[in-house]
Structure formats: C-alpha cells, structure tokens
C-alpha cells in the first residue's frame, strides 16, 4: 500500500514473550493476529508481556482483581516484576477509572516512588494493545534512532528561527567587532 510521497507503509512486527497465564485472553489473541512473533512462557511473571527487542515489559492487572486480593499480594507481584525488568509498565485495567481506581493507582505510585515503574490506566484490551505497541515500537530500533534524529533536527530549527537566538547572535556579532581577539 503506497502512502503519499511514494513511501510504502510497512507493518511493524516484533517478538513478544507472553505469560502462559494470558494464553486465552483477548490481549494475547489480538497480538497474535497482528502478525507479531508470539512466544508463550511459563517462566515469566503471570500477566506479563515482554517486547524483548524493545526492552520493555508490561504487567497486566485488573483493578477489580486487585480490590479482591490482599494488597500485599499484588504489591509483591509488582515488586518482583520491576526488579526483573528495567523498563516496566503496570497496565491497570478498569472499565471506569473512578475514585477507587485512582486511589489504587496512587497507593501503587506511593509504594514504588523512585522506581522504574510507570502506570498505564486502560479501559479494555484494545486500549492496552495500542499503548503497549506504541511504547514498544517507539523504543525499538530503527524507530528510536529516527525519533532522536527528528528531535535534534527540530531543536536546531527552533534555535535557528528563535527571535531571542537571533537577538543574542546580533549582540554577540556586535561585541565581536569591538573585540580585538
């Protein structure tokens, strides 16, 4: 399929390691249907999805299940997960993120303040998949290189076009004309 500008759009696919506990879940099925190379594993934390080439890991948890279990249990599961994965995300699912769900996220944030855990509130499987794939894609090569290049280019353009920069440049040029060095 050709896009404007003559570039052909390639579908992004990657290798994903999914906890065997998620095998019958909609999230796993949807990732398989997107042509990703999905591998199921019993050795990863229950509820985890790992994008190995991107180096990001997601732990899927349902807010209702957290409310029904002891807080120490789900906090221990999160702690074990973030100790194993440098780039870790907790994907907290709830049909509606009301006051109780926000309190739960706040307690989790307080507990893991200063850690490498980021919390993603989601409403459904489609929402979760879109967020996970976007994060994994933007942190994988060559996308991360492209993003870095575009950021550097944008920064250079902003500096070159900045009225403040132009004024400073004029002042520097005028002081250089008086400087004998």
């Amino acid at each position: 399929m050709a896009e404007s500008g003559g570039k052909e759009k390639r579908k992004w696919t990657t290798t994903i390691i999914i906890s065997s506990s998620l095998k019958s879940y909609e999230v796993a099925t949807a990732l398989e249907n997107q042509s990703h190379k999905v591998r199921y594993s019993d050795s990863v934390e229950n509820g985890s999805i790992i994008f190995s080439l991107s180096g990001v890991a997601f732990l899927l948890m349902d807010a209702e299940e957290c409310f029904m279990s002891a807080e120490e249990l789900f906090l221990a599961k999160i702690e074990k997960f973030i100790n194993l994965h440098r780039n870790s995300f907790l994907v907290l699912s709830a049909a509606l993120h009301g006051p109780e769900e926000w309190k739960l996220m706040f307690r989790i944030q307080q507990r893991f303040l200063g850690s490498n855990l980021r919390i993603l509130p989601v409403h459904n499987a489609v929402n979760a998949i879109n967020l996970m794939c976007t994060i994994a894609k933007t942190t994988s090569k060559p996308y991360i290189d492209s993003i870095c290049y575009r950021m550097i280019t944008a920064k250079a353009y902003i500096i070159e076009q900045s009225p403040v920069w132009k004024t400073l440049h004029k002042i520097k040029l005028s002081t250089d004309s008086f400087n004998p060095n």
Side-chain angles (χ1 to χ4, degrees), residues 26-45:
E26 184 182 355
V27 172
T29 306
L31 288 169
E32 284 179 351
N33 291 340
Q34 290 183 359
S35 303
H36 295 293
K37 296 172 196 87
V38 174
R39 305 287 180 258
Y40 290 97
S41 174
D42 292 323
S43 62
V44 297
E45 184 67 38

Side-chain angles (χ1 to χ4, degrees), residues 63-64 66-67 74 92 94 96-108:
E64 284 301 315
C66 291
F67 294 137
F74 71 80
L92 191 62
L96 173 68
H97 292 282
E100 292 304 311
E101 289 78 10
W102 289 110
K103 285 178 192 173
L104 174 64
M105 282 187 268
F106 181 69
R107 285 197 317 269
I108 294 168

Side-chain angles (χ1 to χ4, degrees), residues 21-76:
S21 66
L22 296 173
K23 199 167 195 167
S24 62
Y25 282 66
E26 184 182 355
V27 172
T29 306
L31 288 169
E32 284 179 351
N33 291 340
Q34 290 183 359
S35 303
H36 295 293
K37 296 172 196 87
V38 174
R39 305 287 180 258
Y40 290 97
S41 174
D42 292 323
S43 62
V44 297
E45 184 67 38
N46 283 349
S48 62
I49 297 176
I50 303 161
F51 289 78
S52 53
L53 298 176
S54 302
V56 292
F58 300 90
L59 178 62
L60 275 59
M61 294 183 83
D62 185 77
E64 284 301 315
E65 289 177 18
C66 291
F67 294 137
M68 288 190 251
S69 70
E71 188 167 318
E72 301 82 37
L73 291 176
F74 71 80
L75 290 178

Side-chain angles (χ1 to χ4, degrees), residues 88 93 96 123 158:
S88 56
S93 179
L96 173 68
H123 297 290
I158 290 167

Side-chain angles (χ1 to χ4, degrees), residues 115-147:
S115 74
N116 56 344
L117 179 71
R118 277 103 18 158
I119 302 173
L120 301 173
V122 298
H123 297 290
N124 53 45
V126 172
N127 194 213
I129 291 164
N130 287 340
L131 281 170
M132 289 187 297
C133 287
T134 299
I135 291 167
K137 180 178 178 179
T138 57
T139 56
S140 67
K141 285 194 170 277
Y143 294 94
I144 192 74
D145 295 337
S146 174
I147 290 169

